[in-house]
Amino acid sequence: MRMTDRTIELDCGKLTPTFSQRLVAGLAPLTSLFRGFRNRIEINGLHDLNDTQLRDIGLSRADLTSAFLASTFFEDPSEHLTRSARNRWRLSLFRSHEE
């Protein structure tokens, strides 16, 4: 057997994650849960605003209520509010182009 006939396969493409990378990956679900809980508290604070202030940021009281009803306890309701504000903004743009 010649030297050129013999090959060694090295698996250099796969790097093992470091301890800090494994720690971050393990804590990611916990940080996501904490972020969702923090956003729920902030959205509860939006109930203190009056209707004019809510309209200024593109929301309504119905949006706040539906954000909580549409999301489970472990989901982030701020995503629903973001979609509501964007849809209302797009609708206002559409109406302004019609005039």
Side-chain angles (χ1 to χ4, degrees), residues 9-21:
E9 292 186 23
L10 299 175
D11 196 9
C12 296
K14 295 181 183 177
L15 298 176
T16 58
T18 63
F19 174 74
S20 60
Q21 289 171 334

Side-chain angles (χ1 to χ4, degrees), residues 23-90:
L23 183 64
V24 167
L27 292 177
L30 185 61
T31 56
S32 176
L33 182 66
F34 176 72
R35 185 181 308 113
F37 182 69
R38 187 184 65 214
N39 287 343
R40 280 185 175 277
I41 292 172
E42 293 296 325
I43 292 171
N44 271 334
L46 290 176
H47 283 287
D48 295 337
L49 299 176
N50 61 33
D51 290 337
T52 306
Q53 292 169 325
L54 285 173
R55 203 173 322 116
D56 284 344
I57 59 175
L59 296 173
S60 68
R61 294 231 178 261
D63 293 334
L64 298 178
T65 304
S66 66
F68 282 113
L69 294 176
S71 61
T72 65
F73 180 75
F74 297 106
E75 292 176 335
D76 190 358
S78 65
E79 295 171 5
H80 178 76
L81 287 180
T82 303
R83 275 193 308 273
S84 295
R86 283 187 183 148
N87 289 340
R88 188 166 286 114
W89 176 73
R90 287 180 183 140

Side-chain angles (χ1 to χ4, degrees), residues 58 83-99:
R83 275 193 308 273
S84 295
R86 283 187 183 148
N87 289 340
R88 188 166 286 114
W89 176 73
R90 287 180 183 140
L91 185 62
S92 69
L93 283 178
F94 179 73
R95 287 181 181 162
S96 67
H97 286 308
E98 285 182 345
E99 294 174 354

